[in-house]
Amino acid sequence: MGVNSGASAIKNFLQINPIAQNLKSTKPNSTINTILSHLEAGCLKKAVSLLFSSPFPFDLPLYGRLFQLCSASRAIVEARKVESHLISYYDPPPTFLLNRAIEAYGKCRCLQDARELFDEMPHRDGGSWNALITAYAKGGFPSEALGLYLDMNRSGVSPSEVTFASVLGSCGVLLELGFARVVHGFVVKLGYGGNVIIASALVDVYGKCDEIVDARRMFDEIDRPNAVSWNVIVRRYLEVGDERQSVFMFFQTIRAGVRPLTFTFSSALVACSNRQAVLEGVQIHGVVIKYRHEDDEKVATSLIDMYMKCNDVVSARKVFDQPGVKDLLSWTSMVSGYAMAGRLKEAQELFDKMPERSIISWNAMLAGYVRSGQWEEAQSFIFKMCLNIYDADGVTLNLLLNVSAALSDIEYGRQIHAYIYRHGFESVIYVKNALFDMYGKCGALRRARICFHNMSGQRDTISWNSLLNSLAQHQMNVDVITMFREMQKETTPNEYTFSTLLAACANIFAYSQGKQIHGFMIRNGYKIDVVSLDALLEMYSKCGYLEYALKVIKTAKPGDTILWNSMIIRCCHHGKAREALALFDLMKEIGVKPDNVTFQAVFNACLCEGFVDEGKRYFDAMINDYGITVKLEHYECMINLYTRYGAMKELGKILKMPFKPTVSMLTRIFDACKVYPSPRLAMWVAKKLNKLNQN
DNA sequence: ATAGGGTTAG
């Protein structure tokens, strides 16, 4: 070991041939002055190049300063030269300076150099261990860092606060909860529990390991949390999905009088977007302005994102149009916002104007087309994309697979599969999931089965949901229910699982299974969102248990008008118009606001049972009490009602509508006139129809 | 003569 290190080669050379020590410079002071003036001018390279024109040792602080500069500018070549000079003229060189050298190598990500120097040091102290452990931890080798920490303990060197900080960071990366707990004990034993940096690191590890309660307990133990501590707790709450607490802790930061970091703003704003909490988002915007962060691109990006995800496009645009916030990120965010809001024209326009684009910008735009199901547009966008990018990533491949699945284009899907194989994306679980999903949706069940089998050992909830979906899509309803049992042996279902499952139950009228699933959801505390609630209603209604569905719908949120609408429609399908109308009354009682679709459904219910007077009353109420603009569809319903039951007088009145009657309306009126004689109306409609026929 | 914790667009 160590033969490849430049520094050690020179050292070996000097040991057998120490001519350097015999050289004498005529003007040592002039050399050092030139070096200092280069450093003053910020020119590290020039300063270092002059080192060896002085065959004398320099003062120790100069080496220290040089190493620090090398660290800061990641100058590996210079760091090696400084080390050479140091070990040439000091024997032995002071340990603290070699520690600085290890740090410099670490910062330059030359872990090999750091390790060799460490191994060859004649005398090591705790600082040397710390420098190397930090180098590994920060250089992306957390397990090596932990290994070194164990070596350190074995060699009898006591860890310090610095050691613990790095070690806890590595535990966080590796999700080594057990290791972290042991370290925590040691921290307390050595009396470092009050150190805010270590305490924050502990909060971070516990949070990352999903132990948010312990994280919070640790946080509460900190005497005076600083900006980083607050940042950590806000972030960790966000990442475990407790957005409410995340936002709450953000405002606590302000109350504690701590100025939040820009990162903290971003986290809190993401938390707001996830909860659609625009009011809190606006408050955070206020804090942004108070702390003069408005023109920080990163904060602005988070603001744009928050407003976009809360459907406030105007405010998002306002932030974006502020001077000085436009960068790649905020452009991308804006495009993504438009795209995800389904405003693809605006998204594409902005995308075309972007001064530069990253793969994420391309993905964002494509995701918009995919989300809105605009497959043809997606295809032509992909064509352009292929000509312009060379760095497709996992997300790109996912989207491409979604497109080929939607178009059932298995040929294209296979090509993407080949690309995935060639570029080593096969190990990425979400790419695999999308691939499997594609084969399933294209009906290539044999290929899908192979994919699913190949994924054994790393299948997650999404893989299983995909399987259930593809079975459901092929009407294999019984298999959906069977495979759900298999799924539970391997992973836990989520809300999406249940909507598929309940739909399968509904298709085969499997009431008892459906009911069991409902019970399962309740027992296991799944939140029943609009989609699964709708699936439940559908299952109970289809299985003929309307009363039960009615019981369930009362647990819906007042905002979910759609659920009530589809429930009213379902009642009509079962010929239960009275129940449908009762539902409408119940809506009023509970405070659910009906919309135009609700009234269409209500009119249809009246049509089923021949409730002409009620229909007219509801129609008037829609206009006068609810202020809903009457659409052509509503007139259609009313005309159906009046023609079917011969309410010719009302029919005549309603025809003064602000729309041109459609052909089907006219035909229906004409037919009604034959059953319920109404000469004037007959004349009017005959004229209209004739005119149409002539044209 | 010193080190250390947090990382933001799909």
Side-chain angles (χ1 to χ4, degrees), chain A residues 129-335:
Chain A
W129 286 97
N130 288 344
L132 193 63
I133 290 174
T134 308
Y136 276 113
K138 292 231 159 159
F141 295 93
S143 13
E144 283 76 2
L146 293 190
L148 268 168
Y149 166 76
L150 295 176
D151 292 342
M152 179 185 190
N153 284 322
R154 268 195 287 268
S155 72
V157 181
S158 184
S160 73
E161 293 157 292
V162 179
T163 328
F164 287 129
S166 287
V167 166
L168 289 170
S170 299
C171 290
V173 176
L174 298 167
L175 304 179
E176 277 282 3
L177 180 61
F179 205 116
R181 287 202 197 278
V182 176
V183 173
H184 187 175
F186 208 12
V187 163
V188 175
K189 194 175 155 201
L190 295 185
Y192 295 138
N195 180 321
V196 64
I197 293 176
I198 295 180
S200 307
L202 279 165
V203 175
D204 194 50
V205 194
Y206 286 137
K208 277 186 178 144
C209 296
D210 229 28
E211 296 285 327
I212 194 69
V213 177
D214 284 355
R216 177 56 181 271
R217 197 175 297 144
M218 197 56 227
F219 180 84
D220 288 337
E221 275 179 29
I222 304 177
D223 236 358
R224 291 164 49 97
N226 64 19
V228 174
S229 327
W230 285 105
N231 181 58
V232 168
I233 194 74
V234 168
R235 182 82 204 168
R236 296 279 79 91
Y237 270 125
L238 170 69
E239 282 185 356
V240 298
D242 192 345
E243 281 92 1
R244 230 177 62 86
Q245 274 298 322
S246 177
V247 175
F248 176 75
M249 290 310 265
F250 174 82
F251 286 113
Q252 289 296 106
T253 315
I254 311 295
R255 282 188 59 186
V258 173
R259 181 191 169 96
L261 303 175
T262 50
F263 301 119
T264 321
F265 282 104
S266 299
S267 301
L269 287 166
V270 171
C272 290
S273 344
N274 290 355
R275 324 178 42 209
Q276 301 265 313
V278 73
L279 289 178
E280 279 137 320
V282 169
Q283 276 180 294
I284 296 176
H285 193 171
V287 182
V288 169
I289 293 168
K290 184 180 155 196
Y291 285 105
R292 310 218 150 274
H293 279 310
E294 314 105 287
D295 47 8
D296 181 296
E297 295 99 335
K298 306 297 178 290
V299 176
T301 299
S302 305
L303 276 169
I304 291 170
D305 217 51
M306 181 276 293
Y307 280 125
M308 277 300 196
K309 291 202 172 118
C310 296
N311 304 316
D312 187 346
V313 183
V314 179
S315 299
R317 187 69 201 225
K318 251 186 221 156
V319 175
F320 181 68
D321 285 336
Q322 274 175 75
V325 305
K326 285 193 183 60
D327 69 349
L328 179 61
L329 260 71
S330 58
W331 274 96
T332 305
S333 220
M334 202 64 207
V335 167

Side-chain angles (χ1 to χ4, degrees), chain A residues 412-619:
Chain A
Y412 187 46
R414 282 221 184 92
Q415 283 176 36
I416 302 165
H417 192 165
Y419 184 95
I420 289 168
Y421 178 73
R422 283 200 307 273
H423 292 80
F425 281 99
E426 277 205 316
S427 52
V428 184
I429 180 68
Y430 65 87
V431 173
K432 275 187 172 174
N433 278 340
L435 195 60
F436 164 62
D437 190 61
M438 182 274 293
Y439 282 123
K441 285 198 173 123
C442 290
L445 292 186
R446 214 178 64 85
R447 275 245 65 117
R449 198 162 296 140
I450 295 169
C451 273
F452 194 73
H453 183 73
N454 284 341
M455 285 159 69
S456 62
Q458 45 171 324
R459 287 188 292 243
D460 60 6
T461 304
I462 299 173
S463 331
W464 282 94
N465 283 350
S466 203
L467 174 72
L468 299 189
N469 267 323
S470 101
L471 292 173
Q473 198 190 321
H474 293 88
Q475 299 304 323
M476 300 158 80
N477 295 300
V478 180
D479 301 84
V480 173
I481 298 167
T482 322
M483 289 319 276
F484 174 64
R485 287 204 199 98
E486 292 301 308
M487 173 181 188
Q488 282 168 280
K489 293 178 190 161
E490 203 171 285
T491 182
T492 43
N494 64 14
E495 292 87 66
Y496 295 94
T497 319
F498 297 116
S499 49
T500 311
L501 203 51
L502 290 166
C505 292
N507 284 339
I508 52 171
F509 311 106
Y511 169 71
S512 69
Q513 270 115 330
K515 205 178 146 179
Q516 276 177 40
I517 292 158
H518 187 186
F520 183 94
M521 292 171 81
I522 295 171
R523 276 199 310 281
N524 293 286
Y526 282 96
K527 65 169 188 280
I528 301 183
D529 61 358
V530 192
V531 183
S532 27
L533 201 51
D534 192 59
L536 270 172
L537 297 175
E538 173 76 5
M539 186 274 295
Y540 282 123
S541 316
K542 264 211 176 151
C543 296
Y545 289 84
L546 264 182
E547 326 81 72
Y548 212 87
L550 296 181
K551 226 184 232 172
V552 172
I553 198 174
K554 286 176 198 163
T555 64
K557 279 200 308 271
D560 296 334
T561 306
I562 297 173
L563 285 179
W564 292 80
N565 294 349
S566 49
M567 203 54 224
I568 293 176
I569 294 168
R570 281 189 198 109
C571 287
C572 295
H573 284 162
H574 287 77
K576 309 231 170 186
R578 278 172 212 282
E579 278 83 351
L581 297 179
L583 259 180
F584 179 77
D585 292 334
L586 192 62
M587 276 175 88
K588 241 190 312 191
E589 217 174 276
I590 298 183
V592 184
K593 264 181 82 177
D595 61 10
N596 57 356
V597 181
T598 317
F599 281 99
Q600 271 185 61
V602 166
F603 300 151
N604 278 321
C606 296
L607 181 69
C608 291
E609 284 283 327
F611 295 149
V612 177
D613 295 340
E614 283 87 344
K616 185 180 154 21
R617 227 179 301 131
Y618 283 121
F619 186 75

